[in-house]
Amino acid sequence: MPETIRIAYLYEDLMNTYGDSGDVKILSFLLKEQGYNTQVDNVSLDEEFNAFDYDFLFFGGGQDFEQSVVAKDIAKHKQTITEYIEDDKPMLCICGGYQFLGKFYETSGGETIQCLDILPFHTVFKADSRMIGDTEYKTEWGTVKAFENHSGRTYFDDKTMLKPLGKMIEGYGNNPEDGVEGMRYKNVIGSYSHGPILKNENIARAIADKIIKSHKERMENKSEA
Ligand code: GLN
């Protein structure tokens, strides 16, 4: 019997812009290649959630309106997500999902959406432009090509704790000034890349490996309990 890897897709029904669900499909495919089944749970509004029941958390992009709906629900999960991240477990957050790990997101409509405030960064809007187009950047796992579409500009408040995912070759990434894309902290990756990002096999395989490791650890902890 193949083992089943458990993936939590946070607010899948609300946060799923520009084909981000493709990231989860690609991971399921790569995990299948390595002999694992996957179970993907949509963790949505008004649900109980323990991050430690899962081997991987995925959080996709969203429109400002959906983000304001999610903001009202997600605060109750702050503790379990924080502990999961601090325990070196893997998580991938795209665009609006990425913004949620920081302190707040100021929208183009003048609303301030309170985010989880787990990691030291924030996202603001400036009147002149939305960042739309192809992106290309260098990462630890090689060059990544993707697509971005966001009005939020993300800035790190602590540049020693957070590292960028990559260095821009083309496009904006986090904001027009810093020349970097995304964020890494422990085994969490935040990124503005749609496309989906995991069509880039190098980074997809790196994340799949992290998920298998996380699954093995969860199984070991279960048998010890
Ligand atoms: N609504 C956010 C922004 O415009 C995120 C967009 C997205 O997730 N695609 O910055």
Side-chain angles (χ1 to χ4, degrees), residues 12-23:
E12 176 178 10
D13 46 345
L14 295 162
M15 302 285 290
N16 54 17
T17 48
Y18 315 120
D20 290 341
S21 56
D23 288 327

Side-chain angles (χ1 to χ4, degrees), residues 178-207:
D178 291 344
V180 295
E181 152 61 27
M183 179 277 309
R184 289 182 65 184
Y185 173 71
K186 295 196 166 201
N187 282 312
V188 181
I189 293 175
S191 172
Y192 274 110
S193 295
H194 304 287
I197 183 177
L198 297 187
K199 70 180 184 196
N200 293 275
E201 200 179 329
N202 45 3
I203 191 163
R205 287 198 184 278
I207 293 175

Side-chain angles (χ1 to χ4, degrees), residues 86-109:
E86 288 300 325
D87 203 34
D88 292 319
K89 302 272 176 210
M91 179 172 190
L92 175 64
C93 305
I94 306 295
C95 205
Y98 167 30
Q99 293 169 350
F100 262 117
L101 291 185
K103 291 181 181 153
F104 58 83
Y105 164 41
E106 282 173 10
T107 71
S108 57

